[in-house]
Amino acid sequence: MSEPAITARQAPPWRRRTAAVLRRLLGAVAVFWAVATFTFCVQSLLPGDRAEMMLNVASGTLVQASKAELAAVNARYGFDQPLSVQYLRYIEALPRGDFGVSYQTHRPVRDMIAEQIRPTILLTASALVLAWVIAIVVTVTTAGRPGRLSRFIGGVQVATAVAPPYWIGTILLVVFAVRLRLFPVEGDNGLPGLVLPAAALAIPLSGFLGQVIREEFSRVLEQPFVTTARMRGMGDTGVRLRHVLRHAALPGVTLSGWAVGALFSGAAVIETVFARPGIGGLLVAATSSRDIPLVTGIIVASAGIYILANLLVDLAYPIIDPRLRAR
Amino acid sequence: MSSTDQALVFRAVERRRSAVAAFVRTLPPGVAVAALVIVLFVAAAAAPGHLQTHNPFRTDLYATLQPPSLAHLFGTDQSGRDLFSRVVEGTRQSLTIGIGATGLSLSIALLLGVTAGLAGGAVDAAISRFLEVLFAFPNLFLALLFVTVFAATPATLVIAVGIGTAPGYARMIRGQFLSVKRAGYVEAARTLGHSYGRVVRQHIFPNAMRPLVVMITLGLGQSIVWASGLAFLGLGVAPPSPEWGALLDAGRHYVTRAWWLEVMPGLAIIAFALSATVVSRHLQDRLEGRVHAG
């Protein structure tokens, strides 16, 4: 703890920044290692014989395999080795992106994830952008204004924040795809197919983001520098957009890193509802068939993306908030 | 003006008379409605028979997929069962799973949060790191990991949701202990020469535990949403059961023909979660002394 303080006083700014970035990077790698270890520990709790389960998953039926058959499979996949050996093999393969082989398809988990990750990233990223747009528009136009409408919108934000995305998804599907036929019912059909799933994910998130930005927005509206800007003759909209929003957005940025995790969770359900390709739907399917390597692979990979997103938010913070740069 | 006077009077009376009665009278209308909704759900869980209009398991092949009407408030499902009565019937299981998950979640959170908050130093650092690691898992994914390993049963659902939501509460509890430890009255008690154990028992613990009620109500709503999400995916309580998530799962296949099968159970989930949130926010404001009666 005392060391960074000393370097902070002596080293030139660029070196200080590099040291800070390196420290963050190391921390992220450590968390990723711990995530992989935790996942390994949980999956090792699996009851019963691994080979027997694996054969059942692969064939989709309950097979009574002989002891010799099971022993052969166990030996082939290293299930007969002590846990410590299995763990070392697992960890050692991770930097290569090697998550093992799916029980069901016998294909490398890495390839299966690589095929399906693009639609999920597209879905979560567009949902995040959409949630921000909704939250900002609603907050800038209504926060800190007296009257019923503003209070009502605040209430709507609370309500949407608790609504489950899978429910919103189904409702949107029925109203806009089945009844009004405005959008395709399911599948990955480019932009039109993306609108409803992204909205289903974005609506609860915008409610959550909106509440946080709103609170900060109302607080900042009463700050002296806002009064100063008004005294300079700036219009209300200008003040809200140029001065207040900038401050109010900060806690929202921190939340966006966190939101990546929530969006992945939501994507798992939404991809199932809309029958979209993606790692979320893949994970749900793998969970029902108990395809352990595929489940752990997707979970560890998503945790990796979450860690990366939060690392980026951390590093981007001084760029957004100049006050942090001085320190 | 008069409402403020009234609030003062109420607050004075509160100490002598029944605290509950005064508490109810100072509730804003929205919070009162939310509290009433929760009471109704608890009643539905305790005595479903009194609220049901039909037998929730009796099929009627002459009345399948009927839209909501006076005879069937929420409509009927593909076998002609009354959906309203099924939602009422499912309340018990949904609430039980929610209560179980919240109980487990808060127990883990208390164990970790209190230890970290009280011990400080290396113990705190270790627990905080551990929480950071748990946070890296998307909530639902952590739950799915447990469902994969232990097979999809209602008990797994409780464990999965409980563990999935624990890190957030643990972090809150830890923060609470840290801020209370630094409070003026704790320092004053120390200066007066009270032993560490006594300061912890008399000052730190009661004050740090105050938001627990808020967390319980908030957690209940959240864990019901999560648990029904898993059931919706077919990973928990299976469809013939009227658990809310299972109802949604069953209704999915008929959604193009019968919207009510999806909308109504969802409204039940939202009504409960929203009421829980509204009540917990009110409790939080009260505890922080920010309440304006009226």
Side-chain angles (χ1 to χ4, degrees):
Chain A
M1 268 295 139
S2 61
E3 205 180 348
I6 294 168
T7 39
R9 232 175 292 138
Q10 293 169 344
W14 64 268
R15 194 181 282 178
R16 222 169 353 113
R17 292 275 284 286
T18 322
V21 169
L22 276 178
R23 222 176 312 126
R24 287 266 158 78
L25 260 165
L26 265 178
V29 171
V31 171
F32 184 71
W33 164 76
V35 162
T37 305
F38 182 83
T39 312
F40 180 86
C41 293
V42 174
Q43 66 87 33
S44 71
L45 297 174
L46 183 86
D49 187 85
R50 224 8 105 110
E52 191 176 343
M53 207 204 78
M54 191 174 163
L55 290 177
N56 289 340
V57 167
S59 63
T61 49
L62 273 177
V63 204
Q64 200 53 58
S66 72
K67 276 230 167 68
E69 281 175 299
L70 291 182
V73 176
N74 274 329
R76 188 168 156 217
Y77 287 92
F79 298 148
D80 53 351
Q81 303 280 337
L83 265 185
S84 56
V85 175
Q86 290 187 38
Y87 172 70
L88 284 179
R89 264 191 208 163
Y90 169 77
I91 284 292
E92 180 240 4
L94 271 188
R96 284 180 271 128
D98 180 359
F99 295 109
V101 174
S102 158
Y103 288 173
Q104 205 167 16
T105 60
H106 293 289
R107 293 181 53 214
V109 168
R110 179 180 52 188
D111 297 354
M112 296 178 74
I113 294 178
E115 279 163 22
Q116 305 268 322
I117 198 143
R118 203 194 285 235
T120 304
I121 301 270
L122 187 67
L123 173 66
T124 47
S126 34
L128 186 60
V129 172
L130 187 60
W132 263 103
V133 171
I134 300 175
I136 286 180
V137 169
V138 169
T139 308
V140 170
T141 48
T142 67
R145 295 202 204 276
R148 280 204 185 157
L149 183 70
S150 175
R151 279 233 306 275
F152 174 73
I153 299 278
V156 170
Q157 282 181 331
V158 178
T160 50
V162 302
Y166 50 87
W167 188 74
I168 296 184
T170 320
I171 303 301
L172 289 177
L173 189 69
V174 173
V175 174
F176 291 102
V178 179
R179 294 282 150 130
L180 302 177
R181 295 175 193 275
L182 290 176
F183 298 99
V185 172
E186 56 182 40
D188 178 25
N189 304 321
L191 195 61
L194 185 65
V195 175
L196 291 182
L201 277 180
I203 289 171
L205 184 61
S206 74
F208 196 77
L209 269 177
Q211 283 179 58
V212 176
I213 304 180
R214 190 182 197 81
E215 204 161 294
E216 190 68 11
F217 203 92
S218 313
R219 200 183 60 78
V220 176
L221 268 177
E222 281 154 27
Q223 297 287 309
F225 68 83
V226 173
T227 317
T228 313
R230 285 192 204 281
M231 275 165 61
R232 286 203 315 264
M234 205 171 192
D236 187 48
T237 316
V239 168
R240 280 169 178 262
L241 285 176
R242 287 210 34 202
H243 292 282
V244 185
L245 182 61
R246 201 173 162 148
H247 288 259
L250 281 176
V253 172
T254 316
L255 266 180
S256 294
W258 165 87
V260 171
L263 282 170
F264 270 125
S265 295
V269 205
I270 289 298
E271 284 170 1
T272 311
V273 170
F274 287 90
R276 269 178 70 83
I279 56 165
L282 192 64
L283 174 63
V284 171
T287 304
S288 342
S289 59
R290 305 186 81 179
D291 192 339
I292 300 271
L294 191 52
V295 169
T296 53
I298 293 174
I299 290 175
V300 171
S302 325
I305 295 173
Y306 173 88
I307 293 168
L308 198 65
N310 277 280
L311 184 69
L312 290 178
V313 166
D314 265 4
L315 296 181
Y317 229 80
I319 301 171
I320 306 166
D321 189 351
R323 288 172 300 182
L324 290 176
R325 247 176 279 168
R327 268 181 236 154
Chain B
M1 265 308 195
S2 68
S3 73
T4 333
D5 293 348
Q6 237 178 335
L8 286 174
V9 172
F10 280 153
R11 226 164 271 170
V13 170
E14 210 169 23
R15 294 204 181 88
R16 283 181 213 147
R17 264 209 217 151
S18 153
V20 180
F23 181 81
V24 170
R25 251 179 293 172
T26 55
L27 286 181
V31 180
V33 171
L36 187 69
V37 170
I38 291 185
V39 169
L40 273 178
F41 275 120
V42 172
H50 290 283
L51 290 167
Q52 283 160 346
T53 52
H54 295 73
N55 178 344
F57 301 106
R58 216 202 63 203
T59 57
D60 179 357
L61 294 177
Y62 293 106
T64 59
L65 298 178
Q66 297 281 309
S69 63
L70 278 180
H72 299 284
L73 289 176
F74 288 2
T76 62
D77 68 3
Q78 72 280 6
S79 314
R81 291 174 292 201
D82 180 61
L83 188 60
F84 175 74
S85 305
R86 287 180 69 70
V87 170
V88 171
E89 187 71 23
T91 309
R92 183 180 292 175
Q93 197 172 16
S94 286
L95 289 198
T96 309
I97 291 174
I99 291 170
T102 312
L104 179 67
S105 172
L106 284 178
S107 309
I108 299 172
L110 278 173
L111 187 70
L112 293 176
V114 172
T115 314
L118 279 184
V123 179
D124 178 32
I127 292 179
S128 298
R129 278 291 118 77
F130 179 62
L131 291 179
E132 202 180 316
V133 171
L134 286 186
F135 259 110
F137 291 96
N139 250 340
L140 184 68
F141 287 18
L142 195 56
L144 287 178
L145 179 63
F146 282 91
V147 172
T148 313
V149 174
F150 299 111
T153 63
T156 313
L157 218 58
V158 170
I159 296 172
V161 175
I163 292 177
T165 50
Y169 299 120
R171 196 180 265 192
M172 274 197 247
I173 293 171
R174 171 184 170 269
Q176 191 65 23
F177 266 88
L178 288 186
S179 70
V180 169
K181 258 165 94 177
R182 271 188 241 112
Y185 52 82
V186 170
E187 205 172 312
R190 282 263 184 85
T191 322
L192 284 173
H194 290 175
S195 72
Y196 180 68
R198 187 171 164 191
V199 174
V200 169
R201 225 176 326 115
Q202 284 196 339
H203 299 287
I204 300 183
F205 221 81
N207 282 298
M209 282 308 175
R210 235 184 243 189
L212 199 64
V213 193
V214 178
M215 284 189 219
I216 290 173
T217 41
L218 200 65
L220 267 181
Q222 282 304 307
S223 46
I224 285 177
V225 168
W226 281 110
S228 58
L230 285 172
F232 173 79
L233 292 172
L235 302 168
V237 188
S241 150
E243 194 271 339
W244 294 341
L247 285 180
L248 288 175
D249 185 25
R252 235 162 80 194
H253 310 289
Y254 300 93
V255 74
T256 50
R257 278 183 289 158
W259 53 266
W260 52 92
L261 289 183
E262 214 53 29
V263 171
M264 297 307 182
L267 282 182
I269 296 172
I270 294 181
F272 187 85
L274 188 59
S275 305
T277 309
V278 169
V279 168
S280 74
R281 282 180 151 224
H282 178 73
L283 288 174
Q284 193 171 17
D285 286 352
R286 256 185 120 88
L287 290 172
E288 286 173 10
R290 271 199 275 147
V291 75
H292 309 287

